[in-house]
Amino acid sequence: MDLVESGRKKIEWVKQHMKVLNTLKEMYMDEQPFKGINVAMSIHLEAKTAYTAVVLHELGANVAITSSNPLSTQDDVAEALKTYGVNVYAKRSTDEELYWKNIDKVLEIKPNIVIDDGADLGIRIVEKFPELLENIWGINEETTTGIKRYKALLNDGKLPVPVIDINDSYMKYLFDNRYGTGQSTWDGIIRSTNLTVAGKNVVVAGYGWCGKGVAMRAKGLGARVIVTEVDPIKAIEAVMDGFSVMPMDEAAKIGDFFVTVTGDIDVITEKHFMMMKDGVVLANAGHFDIEVKVADLERINTEKKEVRPGVTQYTMPNGNKLYLLGMGRLVNLVNGDGHPVEIMDLSFSLQLEGAKYIKEHKGEIEVSVRPVPYEVDLNIAKIKLKTMGIDIDELTPEQIEYLNSWK
Amino acid sequence: MDLVESGRKKIEWVKQHMKVLNTLKEMYMDEQPFKGINVAMSIHLEAKTAYTAVVLHELGANVAITSSNPLSTQDDVAEALKTYGVNVYAKRSTDEELYWKNIDKVLEIKPNIVIDDGADLGIRIVEKFPELLENIWGINEETTTGIKRYKALLNDGKLPVPVIDINDSYMKYLFDNRYGTGQSTWDGIIRSTNLTVAGKNVVVAGYGWCGKGVAMRAKGLGARVIVTEVDPIKAIEAVMDGFSVMPMDEAAKIGDFFVTVTGDIDVITEKHFMMMKDGVVLANAGHFDIEVKVADLERINTEKKEVRPGVTQYTMPNGNKLYLLGMGRLVNLVNGDGHPVEIMDLSFSLQLEGAKYIKEHKGEIEVSVRPVPYEVDLNIAKIKLKTMGIDIDELTPEQIEYLNSWK
Amino acid sequence: MDLVESGRKKIEWVKQHMKVLNTLKEMYMDEQPFKGINVAMSIHLEAKTAYTAVVLHELGANVAITSSNPLSTQDDVAEALKTYGVNVYAKRSTDEELYWKNIDKVLEIKPNIVIDDGADLGIRIVEKFPELLENIWGINEETTTGIKRYKALLNDGKLPVPVIDINDSYMKYLFDNRYGTGQSTWDGIIRSTNLTVAGKNVVVAGYGWCGKGVAMRAKGLGARVIVTEVDPIKAIEAVMDGFSVMPMDEAAKIGDFFVTVTGDIDVITEKHFMMMKDGVVLANAGHFDIEVKVADLERINTEKKEVRPGVTQYTMPNGNKLYLLGMGRLVNLVNGDGHPVEIMDLSFSLQLEGAKYIKEHKGEIEVSVRPVPYEVDLNIAKIKLKTMGIDIDELTPEQIEYLNSWK
Amino acid sequence: MDLVESGRKKIEWVKQHMKVLNTLKEMYMDEQPFKGINVAMSIHLEAKTAYTAVVLHELGANVAITSSNPLSTQDDVAEALKTYGVNVYAKRSTDEELYWKNIDKVLEIKPNIVIDDGADLGIRIVEKFPELLENIWGINEETTTGIKRYKALLNDGKLPVPVIDINDSYMKYLFDNRYGTGQSTWDGIIRSTNLTVAGKNVVVAGYGWCGKGVAMRAKGLGARVIVTEVDPIKAIEAVMDGFSVMPMDEAAKIGDFFVTVTGDIDVITEKHFMMMKDGVVLANAGHFDIEVKVADLERINTEKKEVRPGVTQYTMPNGNKLYLLGMGRLVNLVNGDGHPVEIMDLSFSLQLEGAKYIKEHKGEIEVSVRPVPYEVDLNIAKIKLKTMGIDIDELTPEQIEYLNSWK
């Protein structure tokens, strides 16, 4: 019961600060747009996602939810969420079998709409439960990683239903990926280690929108930032933003903190671990635990122990100690509370709008991967400005005419 | 002769620092890809553009050049450029008639390729010299403003030839618009006024890539930055970047420096001038002198005088003095040397590649407005990294496979 | 027993990262400079202070320790510390009586050296146990607040023994107050609230070294920072650093987060609470819980409840909800782990050196309040550079001669 | 006559923006505190210093002025200043003899008060004109370098009259040295070179208040900053501020821009020049042209020429080209307009107050080197806040009592 109490407090807290989502909820409350619609969700199960599920439920949906990452479930939130009328199948655990069992449980709801985070849910359907596809009108996908996978599926000619690419909506990637990942990654690292960031060499692998956020905040905390990239254009952007750019083979020797945000495998591997200084901290902020190659750490270490909650010390053959945070999984979710509330308010408002769009256009949407329509994005932005009490200018008719003129 | 000497020094200086363009020149020197081709250029005539014209000439082109803004010509550079074998028709002057006369002179070369900056040259052809169109294979356009105009032309069904949208190439807008405009705008303001930026309220109108650069550098100089916008998404981005956002009607009352970078008319007008504090500085970094409404200043002032070179003092009816820089034209070019060299090296390398692309695909390119192919962009980036001596990582086959997989 | 295990892990963790203190320990180990000397400590009892007590003990001292703030004790660390041979009298509690009882317990050791943090221990001796003074050679004081009090005592002619002013040593205030308070205050706020800092109005009351750190990091996290001050010079410094400066009466209306770091009473009081927006967060990073006037909140609220651990929600008569962190006590210690390890390594190395200085000069030091000698400061700096692997330049004889010459 | 017109414009411009000095002038106008008093000034002769001389003259003084650096005189301002009734002996020139001749001319006024910048004037008196000392009541010194020299004189027992150390007044060093040097140094570098700062390695030699300003602005312009230091404490401060710290022997190999602000000789010498990359820029922001060892450049170059105004290209024996700005003299004054106006308003208001203090306490001031009394500093700060329209909080009696209490 303490779990429920603790989880409810967390949900009520985020409810107070998710003002855009609350505005949408009020707008749609009478209409009940999701009445009788089944929604399956796979998403990091903490207070903000829980409240999103609650809102969908309040707007009429039958919701079943599990976590999109074995360690990102907060058990108190999961227990509390059940008391709001949502079907919850999630437990913090490293048990892979349990993870997939819960995914399958969620699918028993026979979803009309799938809300996905990393594509595990949608791809499970394609691979194991194709019979469910006939009821499915569309999928919302939240992350860079999930979009990459759905696009690969599309390229293979195997995408069965339209995917709304929440991740590439402006109100998502400009904010969640950058300011959300930036703040929460450092929250996770700092609270786990109590180490000083100022004056340290921070290596950020990947300078996409998430990497930009992580680098920007590292700089804001007083670090010298080193960026590694594979894309020449992003690499030059990092240089011009005042960061050092070099290959990981060089960065590995001088970094104090390493943060991976590439969406790819094997970014930091054995050869790098063997070059690192004693006492470095390794953290991953990408979707899967594949960027820092944990398998290599597990294989080559001479000693392994947990030295603080969420901090695993691996002793290397050369005697150096490396500290892996959150077992190489998303450090902001496993060692923290995930992205800050107001940022996720934007992303989950897009999720709500995306789901509503799927419902209202069922059967009409091309089977492809694409963002919510620009008007939806714009509307979220307008509501957000309103909740912040900020007015902006409006174009006059003369200004609009000028913009459309070539004279 | 002193003019020529001074101009040659400037051109030789930038030549030493435009390493990407020099790399391309060396690559193409034997091939002489522009041999016998006529190129008409309208562009701010200072050392970097002059050297670009020289390179085109050295690669075989017959080049005729004028300035894209009456006041952005540096007369010494114009005189010197003639000694390099380029046909130059440009003089720093506020004489509108002379401006258009020079444009027409340039067109006498009967261009195959047009290099444009603001679209005055291309639109002049459409309106006055349609007979030239049959020889024209395509147009390169450099600026946000020019692209806007060419797109309006396309929307009106009147675009006659393909336009290569240099402005929307990554290696242009990510760098030139942001780091170029950012540094050079403040260079122009500071050297004109000798005033302190730290601790001041700087109002930046427009938070596109140029506005982002101007705001970022204002913050870097210690200012408090206020952004005005008409786009809700950009407005929220400005908020999250730590800036204040408000309508110009409020910003006008508290700003110390105003910089317009919107590409639109009437951003700061009479009603704002009447609200402003005594002693504020007005600068424009957008293409045309229409953003700060100079006509209103001219009409309502009770006294007007030049108090420093490039600084016009307008006394308002309420007795307050406002200082307009560079007559409301591009402050970085009129009151300074324009964008820094290495930044323009990127933009003009794209121009060279764009021109080469037009030549190599004449007749094949759709009549539309679009960036250089991504490979061209990427190639410029790779050369730039090389000139900076920076290595980056490369994807392994396993990493590439993972990125293309949905499993 | 779990408490001991958890506490020992924390102490071992900081031991690995307090490299300057470890260097000093090794230097002095054979000498055992504190052999037979009694040391009484009052200090926030967490892992870093605990390890400092361990080091003193290992260098020969008999150490008795309590906490300098009722809520800053970490109970696991306190329990673990006992197993290292230190006398510990501390428990996390709001029981004032217990707090003073523990202080008195510590004094039973009949100290030769007092290590104080906020001056509660030293002033307790002056007021209640003057008979202890004959054995006391000197006091180390750590904080701005404690130094203020000891100086007031000196001004009243009541200071009985010399006070080494650790707080005004360069290696303390330049680092601990600024980078330590800056990082740890935001750690405490962010992990307690999971709210976004970017785009928010952060009001920092006080622009001393601590306030500078809090403001700098708020800016680094993307906030707009408002500073309130009573000192005109510091106020102008804040303006020039790009912050807004205004009286609290104005700031109260627009702030989203408030952080007090003044060392004075009544910085935010009823009249301000009544002006504040709904949902603001109140945090104190100053020594005592007097800056945010909690008594006013307690008196005027219509409802009070804990909504997250360490977050008390007070509903105001106007219906607005205010969130007080850590009961108005030091937010970084009560809602977090205090300053980061490597920063405190510097401060506690100064404490060790200060204690050693007191011992070596007993009876010779003037009864006054003053920093450690500059050479001690310099030596800590040199060791720190060495632990970071950083070399710096050395003056040549010619350069030294030039610096000392007026020719 | 054109010179006079140009110089008058500059003086009138700064007059409008030196609001603190104007406030003091108005306060003292009736009193005419300097009536009949002779003031000798040696100071960089540009518009702000000129206006300070004008104000002293308007308050009754007979003023004779020369420049404190052969190349920092702006000839138009010097000519114009004569028309305001000030005795001017200054000309931009590298002629050393002329420089000292002008100093001697100024001394013919038989000063009661000396206003010095770098100590050349005061030390000239001591060495050559000791007979003037009997009339001299005191000296104001503006710079770190000058104070160093006067303190050396004091240590040698040769200081004959009291020196008011303007440089160590809070309202001077916190602002002029930091925000003034920071902005104006980069103004001088950027306008001379038109090179990009973003993405470059900037080496700042010296992390005193001036160096902090130069480094802070380099970072604000997008550079990666490397600091060299000889002081371990300042070195660690630079590290914690996010900069790289290393010896000049290493920094020389990787820097793109070098700025010296140490006040010492031989900071960058032959061995460094020989290690540098092709195309680096060398600038000095310290008082004398001794930091970048120009003599070495002159000796070892294989070719020397001016490639832009104020930019000398030295070709090294290894073929690399180095660009020295302003002949190694103060880059902000020789290649620009010096510190921004509002910053110097503070410094020169202190000069005025310092001169007034000398006059009012003639014969009473100890022969030593010390700042203006704190009350004077505070008063300047209060006036500055007023001119900016900023209110701050005031301590309540309860707050004052608390601060003075040890209870």
Side-chain angles (χ1 to χ4, degrees), chain D residues 67-312:
Chain D
S67 182
S68 58
N69 192 306
L71 283 182
S72 66
T73 301
Q74 296 197 357
D75 288 335
D76 55 353
V77 171
E79 285 309 307
L81 184 53
K82 293 176 184 171
T83 71
Y84 287 85
V86 172
N87 305 293
V88 182
Y89 309 97
K91 192 159 183 53
R92 184 178 173 106
S93 158
T94 55
D95 179 345
E96 281 273 319
E97 207 175 317
L98 178 63
Y99 175 71
W100 290 107
K101 205 176 123 191
N102 281 328
I103 293 233
D104 295 351
K105 278 275 185 195
V106 157
L107 292 176
E108 288 176 7
I109 203 172
K110 296 191 195 304
N112 305 114
I113 295 170
V114 170
I115 292 183
D116 212 350
D117 181 301
D120 275 357
L121 194 53
I123 285 174
R124 186 73 167 179
I125 296 168
V126 171
E127 292 193 304
K128 301 270 170 175
F129 306 98
E131 70 277 13
L132 293 176
L133 287 168
E134 66 179 322
N135 292 318
I136 298 178
W137 307 331
I139 298 171
N140 273 359
E141 169 56 45
E142 173 81 5
T143 67
T144 313
T145 288
I147 289 304
K148 173 194 84 64
R149 295 177 76 195
Y150 279 122
K151 285 190 174 164
L153 205 64
L154 180 66
N155 288 342
D156 275 11
K158 296 187 175 160
L159 185 72
V161 294
V163 171
I164 299 296
D165 174 357
I166 301 296
N167 186 62
D168 287 302
S169 305
Y170 290 108
M171 293 306 293
K172 163 69 166 60
Y173 77 84
L174 287 176
F175 302 97
D176 177 324
N177 300 23
R178 202 162 27 156
Y179 311 102
T181 310
Q183 177 174 317
S184 66
T185 296
W186 288 105
D187 175 21
I189 294 171
I190 290 172
R191 73 160 92 170
S192 304
T193 63
N194 197 222
L195 294 178
T196 313
V197 181
K200 297 289 179 62
N201 290 327
V202 168
V203 179
V204 180
Y207 204 63
W209 290 103
C210 291
K212 283 183 172 73
V214 173
M216 173 171 70
R217 290 296 170 251
K219 186 180 184 178
L221 285 158
R224 289 182 300 283
V225 178
I226 296 161
V227 169
T228 72
E229 248 302 338
V230 295
D231 177 329
I233 297 172
K234 292 202 179 89
I236 299 174
E237 232 185 328
V239 170
M240 298 302 287
D241 283 341
F243 302 131
S244 297
V245 173
M246 61 185 73
M248 184 58 82
D249 285 5
E250 289 178 39
K253 296 173 198 160
I254 56 180
D256 295 301
F257 293 91
F258 293 79
V259 184
T260 52
V261 261
T262 69
D264 207 344
I265 56 169
D266 299 346
V267 179
I268 308 183
T269 61
E270 175 175 357
K271 70 170 173 173
H272 304 118
F273 299 138
M274 295 301 292
M275 294 171 181
M276 287 178 177
K277 298 189 294 187
D278 185 40
V280 310
V281 172
L282 306 168
N284 169 48
H287 189 78
F288 287 119
D289 56 341
I290 52 171
E291 310 206 8
V292 177
K293 196 167 182 179
V294 182
D296 281 0
L297 285 174
E298 289 286 331
R299 184 168 45 76
I300 66 178
N301 82 74
T302 60
E303 191 197 15
K304 169 185 173 184
K305 62 176 172 178
E306 187 178 59
V307 290
R308 277 171 68 99
V311 183
T312 309

Side-chain angles (χ1 to χ4, degrees), chain A residues 50-102:
Chain A
Y51 182 59
T52 307
V54 168
V55 169
L56 284 165
H57 177 70
E58 290 182 353
L59 296 177
N62 306 313
V63 181
I65 191 168
T66 186
S67 182
S68 58
N69 192 306
L71 283 182
S72 66
T73 301
Q74 297 197 356
D75 287 336
D76 55 352
V77 171
E79 285 309 307
L81 183 52
K82 293 175 185 171
T83 71
Y84 287 85
V86 172
N87 304 292
V88 182
Y89 308 97
K91 192 160 182 54
R92 184 179 173 106
S93 158
T94 55
D95 179 346
E96 281 273 318
E97 207 174 315
L98 179 63
Y99 176 71
W100 291 106
K101 206 176 122 191
N102 280 329

Side-chain angles (χ1 to χ4, degrees), chain B residues 9 13 16 48 183 193-197 200 217 220-221 306 308 321 323 337-342, chain D residues 9 13 16 48 183 191 193-197 200 217 220-221 306 308 321 323 337-338 340-342:
Chain B
K9 274 188 181 175
W13 174 256
Q16 282 194 307
K48 288 147 288 184
Q183 177 176 316
T193 63
N194 197 222
L195 295 178
T196 313
V197 180
K200 297 289 180 62
R217 290 295 169 249
L221 286 159
E306 187 178 60
R308 278 171 68 100
K321 294 178 172 64
Y323 300 105
D337 288 314
H339 284 9
V341 185
E342 305 92 327
Chain D
K9 274 188 181 176
W13 174 256
Q16 281 193 309
K48 289 146 289 185
Q183 177 174 317
R191 73 160 92 170
T193 63
N194 197 222
L195 294 178
T196 313
V197 181
K200 297 289 179 62
R217 290 296 170 251
L221 285 158
E306 187 178 59
R308 277 171 68 99
K321 294 179 171 65
Y323 300 105
D337 289 315
V341 184
E342 305 92 327

Side-chain angles (χ1 to χ4, degrees), chain C residues 156-172:
Chain C
D156 275 11
K158 294 187 176 160
L159 184 72
V161 293
V163 171
I164 300 296
D165 174 356
I166 301 295
N167 186 64
D168 288 301
S169 306
Y170 291 109
M171 293 305 294
K172 163 68 166 64

Side-chain angles (χ1 to χ4, degrees), chain A residues 9 13 16 48 183 191 193-197 200 217 220-221 306 308 321 323 337-338 340-342, chain C residues 9 13 16 48 183 193-197 200 217 220-221 306 308 321 323 337-342:
Chain A
K9 273 187 183 177
W13 174 256
Q16 282 193 307
K48 288 147 287 183
Q183 178 174 318
R191 75 160 93 170
T193 64
N194 197 219
L195 294 178
T196 313
V197 181
K200 297 289 180 63
R217 290 296 169 250
L221 285 159
E306 187 178 57
R308 279 170 68 100
K321 295 179 171 65
Y323 300 105
D337 288 315
V341 185
E342 306 92 327
Chain C
K9 273 189 182 174
W13 174 257
Q16 282 193 307
K48 289 146 288 184
Q183 177 174 318
T193 64
N194 197 222
L195 295 178
T196 313
V197 181
K200 296 290 179 60
R217 290 296 169 251
L221 285 158
E306 187 179 59
R308 278 171 69 98
K321 294 179 171 64
Y323 301 104
D337 290 314
H339 284 8
V341 185
E342 305 92 327

Side-chain angles (χ1 to χ4, degrees), chain B residues 60 75 79 142 155 213 227 239 307 318 330 332 392:
Chain B
D75 288 336
E79 285 310 306
E142 172 82 6
N155 289 342
V227 169
V239 170
V307 291
N318 60 14
L330 283 156
N332 54 350
I392 62 173

